[in-house]
């Protein structure tokens, strides 16, 4: 009886493990903080490195190695170009370009830091985010916004890639 239970357990574990390998979640997280004392918007992006490399290859027809020891300065330039084309802001009805500060790698996630300066007040914040949606139609981009303690969220996808936060 114990042998049958052990075999049954291994079969169930095999099925569950195999099912998880085939199913993948396509999600990226974006944190936007408005700091009124500094008149600044701070943006943090969290995107899986392998997905970002795939998107860059699809967009620019060049293999990149972001997040690996083979990463080149040109890879970072393409990443910044891609992110600026796919992730845009209109604050108070006016387009605002993001200033890239730095990036780091945490596990397989590339974390990028941006700012938008000289923003004294936010009356409206429109976000456009189509990052990775051209290679993964099921991609979900989760936007979290913090305006001096007031928090709002937005879920963007290939079907709904624009949204208003305030």
């Amino acid at each position: 009886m114990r042998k049958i239970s052990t075999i049954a357990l291994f079969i169930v574990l095999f099925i569950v493990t195999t099912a998880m390998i085939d199913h993948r979640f396509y999600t990226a997280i974006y944190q936007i903080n408005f700091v009124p004392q500094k008149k600044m918007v701070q943006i943090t992006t969290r995107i899986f490195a392998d997905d970002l490399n795939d998107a860059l290859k699809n967009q620019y027809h060049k293999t990149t190695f972001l997040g690996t020891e083979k990463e080149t300065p040109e890879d970072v330039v393409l990443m910044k170009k891609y992110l600026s084309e796919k992730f845009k802001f209109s604050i108070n009805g006016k387009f605002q370009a993001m200033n890239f500060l730095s990036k780091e790698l945490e596990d397989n996630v590339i974390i990028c830091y941006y700012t938008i300066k000289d923003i004294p007040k936010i009356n409206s914040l429109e976000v456009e985010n189509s990052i990775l949606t051209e290679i993964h139609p099921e991609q979900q981009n989760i936007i979290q916004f913090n305006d001096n303690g007031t928090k709002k969220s937005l879920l963007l996808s290939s079907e709904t890639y624009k949204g208003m936060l305030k």
Side-chain angles (χ1 to χ4, degrees):
M1 182 69 172
R2 182 179 164 110
K3 192 172 188 178
I4 293 172
S5 296
T6 305
I7 291 171
L9 177 64
F10 280 117
I11 291 171
V12 169
L13 285 175
F14 176 77
I15 291 170
V16 169
T17 306
T18 305
M20 282 196 250
I21 291 170
D22 289 339
H23 182 72
R24 202 163 159 208
F25 293 100
Y26 297 103
T27 304
I29 299 174
Y30 306 83
Q31 179 67 46
I32 303 166
N33 295 318
F34 176 56
V35 184
Q37 301 83 357
K38 295 183 179 182
K39 297 182 181 179
M40 178 187 305
V41 175
Q42 300 170 334
I43 302 132
T44 304
T45 69
R46 294 177 180 274
I47 306 168
F48 285 105
D50 54 344
D51 292 338
L52 192 51
N53 282 314
D54 290 345
L56 295 178
K57 185 173 185 175
N58 180 68
Q59 185 81 14
Y60 304 113
H61 309 290
K62 181 178 181 330
T63 301
T64 57
F65 300 96
L66 292 168
T68 72
E69 59 280 343
K70 293 181 181 180
E71 179 180 290
T72 67
E74 185 180 60
D75 295 345
V76 176
V77 167
L78 286 178
M79 177 199 72
K80 292 184 335 187
K81 180 180 178 183
Y82 175 81
L83 294 178
S84 69
E85 290 171 355
K86 301 285 186 172
F87 190 38
K88 300 176 184 177
F89 291 91
S90 290
I91 299 175
N92 303 329
K94 183 180 175 193
F95 170 76
Q96 299 288 332
M98 297 184 299
N99 303 306
F100 178 80
L101 298 176
S102 65
K103 72 168 190 57
E104 64 180 319
L105 184 69
E106 185 177 284
D107 297 322
N108 186 34
V109 175
I110 294 178
I111 304 169
C112 296
Y113 302 97
Y114 291 89
T115 59
I116 301 173
K117 294 182 180 180
D118 300 321
I119 307 294
K121 184 178 179 183
I122 296 182
N123 295 318
S124 66
L125 173 62
E126 184 177 17
V127 179
E128 180 178 325
N129 187 331
S130 58
I131 291 174
L132 304 178
T133 59
E134 72 280 5
I135 60 167
H136 300 300
E138 63 275 23
Q139 173 71 28
Q140 294 184 332
N141 292 318
I142 301 169
I143 313 294
Q144 299 171 330
F145 176 58
N146 184 351
D147 180 357
N148 208 25
T150 303
K151 297 180 181 183
K152 295 186 179 183
S153 296
L154 189 61
L155 179 64
L156 300 177
S157 65
S158 60
E159 295 170 0
T160 308
Y161 61 92
K162 282 185 181 182
M164 187 71 72
L165 280 165
K166 196 165 182 176

